[in-house]
Amino acid sequence: MEADFAVELGADDETLEFPWAEDGGLRYYDLKRQPELLPKLEEARRVPELGGFLGVLNSSSGILETAKCDTWSSTEINPEEEVYGRHTNSAPMWTSCFSAGTCRYCLAEHEQFAKRVTQLLKRVPEIPAAAEFLIRRAFYHSADEMQEGFYITLYLFGYGDDEPRPAGAGQLP
């Protein structure tokens, strides 16, 4: 399994307002403190394995909580993905932050976490998959202030020969 991480803190790089909400009804659900909201996530209903993973990741004993997630499949393979010798890719994505307040604001904590997880993933037997962790800037809002910190987005790519499953078909690669 390929695994790597990068730090993206440039002026044009993505950031996250936390908690967040978008026009059109998309919004943040606090699954860490309200796990009963998990069925409200379309992605968790559509891909039960992702829903189960989000439940574990947001457990009360865990150090992380999720902020966003998404899934997609494609038959478009980039030249660097041709090494897997497959014709389709599927990818869940989720954005996480540390639950402990002080860790949220420490770049070194995020880098250490991403480095350790990528080292562990590189020990996985050879499978057609790749994981990419991106550390980015976050703006954490509370009742009376906003504090700058960081978050991690994970893109997990699985490669296969099956046709992409239509939305609602529900399995991760």
Side-chain angles (χ1 to χ4, degrees):
M1 173 175 227
E2 297 288 324
D4 204 1
F5 77 94
V7 178
E8 295 184 345
L9 301 177
D12 294 332
D13 289 327
E14 288 186 41
T15 62
L16 175 70
E17 299 279 332
F18 189 86
W20 61 274
E22 293 180 2
D23 293 339
L26 295 176
R27 67 190 266 319
Y28 164 73
Y29 290 106
D30 187 348
L31 300 177
K32 183 78 158 185
R33 289 152 201 85
Q34 296 176 295
E36 69 275 7
L37 296 177
L38 184 60
K40 290 186 173 272
L41 292 176
E42 176 187 339
E43 295 82 3
R45 289 191 312 270
R46 190 176 59 216
V47 184
E49 296 85 354
L50 178 60
F53 177 79
L54 293 173
V56 170
L57 192 64
N58 288 286
S59 71
S60 60
S61 62
I63 63 169
L64 299 175
E65 58 187 277
T66 54
K68 290 185 172 186
C69 68
D70 199 1
T71 61
W72 64 91
S73 295
S74 174
T75 56
E76 294 180 27
I77 301 293
N78 297 322
E80 63 271 10
E81 297 170 321
E82 291 175 0
V83 299
Y84 298 107
R86 306 302 168 102
H87 305 292
T88 62
N89 71 54
S90 297
M93 174 281 294
W94 57 89
T95 296
S96 297
C97 59
F98 285 107
S99 293
T102 58
C103 292
R104 287 182 172 181
Y105 312 109
C106 180
L107 180 58
E109 291 277 346
H110 285 77
E111 288 178 312
Q112 180 181 12
F113 177 82
K115 182 178 182 179
R116 181 68 179 133
V117 174
T118 56
Q119 288 171 341
L120 290 171
L121 288 174
K122 287 178 180 182
R123 294 182 184 174
V124 170
E126 196 63 37
I127 59 173
E132 181 179 12
F133 294 85
L134 301 174
I135 300 169
R136 297 173 170 154
R137 191 174 323 280
F139 300 96
Y140 293 96
H141 296 273
S142 63
D144 55 348
E145 67 177 341
M146 187 273 299
Q147 195 167 359
E148 190 174 318
F150 306 94
Y151 71 99
I152 298 175
T153 295
L154 170 64
Y155 294 94
L156 182 61
F157 301 95
Y159 301 91
D161 292 322
D162 298 336
E163 289 297 314
R165 297 172 193 261
Q171 282 193 7
L172 291 176

